[in-house]
Amino acid sequence: MIEIYAMALFPLEEEKTFRENLRKISGERREKIRNLKNKKSQRQSLGAGLLLEYGLKKLKIQKGEISRTENGKLYVKNRDEIDFNISHSGEYAVCAIGYEEGRGIKVGVDLEKRRKRNILSIAERFFPLEEYEKIKELKEEEGVKLFHSLWTGKESYVKAIGIGITYGLDSFMVKSCPSQAIGKIIDKRMVESFFIKEYDEIEGYSLTVCGNREAFAEKVKWVNIPFDL
């Protein structure tokens, strides 16, 4: 099962609440947050870290069991039946955690606040022609929504396989479905199948989770500050 946790970051605007929660996360992430000059970026990173700690605690995973790949992706050492990924945008943070006993699992998640920008130029540069043409045919508001749906689908996929956007976002297709249905990644280079699910529970944002299993949680689980770790 792939669970999705989400958190609104507004409570962390209060300095006391921010400091209290900063103590709950790993020393590595605390150091990273302290090096961020932008307060908003600090809140986003802290919120994502809190969600990760929250989800891993439910699986009884200790901080010392976490390591990092050469490409920078965090993982649980010697436990390929567990995978996780975090993302944040605007005033929200999310965390996807997958667990499937006896089988390897891979998970990626991406959250993006939808905003009007030169989406056609970006899509023409980074997306396959078919996806670009679909966006081009739509009215502006619908095009913006589809663009972010495809973008979060692509980002969640490259995060799931642990490579990043250097993999080439135009080298594979996102076959998305209506909200709450399961879509698929079409990548001829990949033997293993990857699936995606988009959640529409955060107004004005696109949230997509990708995994090599179709066992996605039906809904996002909201975690509210304060909570115990």
Side-chain angles (χ1 to χ4, degrees), residues 89-100:
S89 181
E91 293 301 333
Y92 296 91
V94 294
C95 176
I97 298 183
Y99 174 75
E100 187 160 347

Side-chain angles (χ1 to χ4, degrees), residues 107-122:
V107 174
V109 62
D110 192 54
L111 175 71
E112 296 284 344
K113 185 175 183 178
R114 291 195 291 268
R115 62 186 191 275
K116 292 181 180 179
R117 48 182 171 166
N118 195 350
I119 60 170
L120 285 179
S121 176
I122 299 171

